[in-house]
Amino acid sequence: AQTVTQSQPEMSVQEAETVTLSCTYDTSESNYYLFWYKQPPSRQMILVIRQEAYKQQNATENRFSVNFQKAAKSFSLKISDSQLGDTAMYFCAFENTGNQFYFGTGTSLTVIP
Amino acid sequence: DVKVTQSSRYLVKRTGEKVFLECVQDMDHENMFWYRQDPGLGLRLIYFSYDVKMKEKGDIPEGYSVSREKKERFSLILESASTNQTSMYLCASSSPRGVPNEKLFFGSGTQLSVL
């Protein structure tokens, strides 16, 4: 089974600053997808960003971008210009060729006013 | 707006009770999943289904079963609830792999307490 590791249980960042959340994964597959999901206090899981492993270009969505290092099996999320609404639990996820999704243990991010 | 609906947001049950958690999606998705979420453990896959009447075990299927009689509905069953099944349960669905912008759509979760 694939494993996804998030080594930062908690992080904080000042409003308007930049923060990077780390994620590593382990797989023998070459064609897979990676995701970052956000879970605010409402508990609703929201997709932040998606990366296809065969694409070398890093995905970006407005203030959110990733640093995808396929050889290192690393997939970090950078949040620029942090806003109070970014306070949430962030989960890194991996989808294998069998359409199964595996999640990390999450990073709790607090944006400080 | 697309939706994955879980029947209960909060549920309190007694040890030994049979518990049904219902999930309905309106996106005509083939794939449906049940996860449990515990602090420090993230989301762990219990069961998933690729089609009606099909089911596959995930990483932690012990103590659970599932039912998928219709494409839109995927039920999680706790045959005899135990206190260690107190958790947040998340249902999700997705289109087949390779569909553009494919992703998991989640319900809002059911917080189950077993007393």
Side-chain angles (χ1 to χ4, degrees), chain A residues 38-49:
Chain A
K38 167 185 175 181
Q39 187 181 44
S42 67
R43 303 187 330 201
Q44 183 64 52
M45 294 281 275
I46 302 164
L47 177 68
V48 175
I49 201 163

Side-chain angles (χ1 to χ4, degrees), chain B residues 26-45:
Chain B
D26 65 359
M27 295 165 282
D28 200 34
H29 283 164
E30 284 81 2
N31 306 324
M32 296 190 75
F33 306 82
W34 274 106
Y35 290 89
R36 66 176 280 175
Q37 180 180 359
D38 300 287
L41 297 178
L43 278 70
R44 292 179 291 166
L45 182 62

Side-chain angles (χ1 to χ4, degrees), chain A residues 22-93:
Chain A
S22 301
C23 173
T24 59
Y25 57 94
D26 185 26
T27 184
S28 58
E29 298 182 2
S30 59
N31 184 20
Y32 50 86
Y33 297 92
L34 294 163
F35 306 81
W36 278 98
Y37 277 87
K38 167 185 175 181
Q39 187 181 44
S42 67
R43 303 187 330 201
Q44 183 64 52
M45 294 281 275
I46 302 164
L47 177 68
V48 175
I49 201 163
R50 178 178 183 269
Q51 175 80 44
E52 295 158 49
Y54 65 87
K55 289 187 177 179
Q56 292 188 342
Q57 187 174 6
N58 288 325
T60 61
E61 286 288 344
N62 302 313
R63 299 182 294 108
F64 299 88
S65 61
V66 298
N67 183 7
F68 174 45
Q69 302 288 329
K70 191 171 184 178
K73 297 179 182 175
S74 171
F75 184 60
S76 60
L77 174 70
K78 186 172 83 170
I79 306 174
S80 304
D81 185 26
S82 296
Q83 301 176 0
L84 296 179
D86 295 333
T87 291
M89 182 72 80
Y90 287 81
F91 291 97
C92 179

Side-chain angles (χ1 to χ4, degrees), chain A residues 1 31-33 35 37 39 42-45 47 50 91 95-106, chain B residues 9-10 31 33 35 37 40-43 48 50 59 88 95-98 101-104 106-109 111:
Chain A
N31 184 20
Y32 50 86
Y33 297 92
F35 306 81
Y37 277 87
Q39 187 181 44
S42 67
R43 303 187 330 201
Q44 183 64 52
M45 294 281 275
L47 177 68
R50 178 178 183 269
F91 291 97
E95 182 191 3
N96 66 10
T97 53
N99 227 164
Q100 296 167 37
F101 292 76
Y102 294 90
F103 287 80
T105 52
Chain B
R9 193 157 174 85
Y10 298 96
N31 306 324
F33 306 82
Y35 290 89
Q37 180 180 359
L41 297 178
L43 278 70
F48 58 100
Y50 291 140
D59 296 325
M88 168 77 76
S95 48
R97 202 160 186 272
N101 299 317
E102 175 233 345
K103 65 177 183 179
L104 271 180
F106 282 90
S108 54
Q111 179 63 52

Side-chain angles (χ1 to χ4, degrees), chain B residues 13-35:
Chain B
K13 295 292 181 181
R14 295 283 182 189
T15 303
E17 280 192 77
K18 190 169 186 176
V19 181
F20 292 86
L21 302 183
E22 307 287 345
C23 176
V24 177
Q25 51 97 1
D26 65 359
M27 295 165 282
D28 200 34
H29 283 164
E30 284 81 2
N31 306 324
M32 296 190 75
F33 306 82
W34 274 106
Y35 290 89

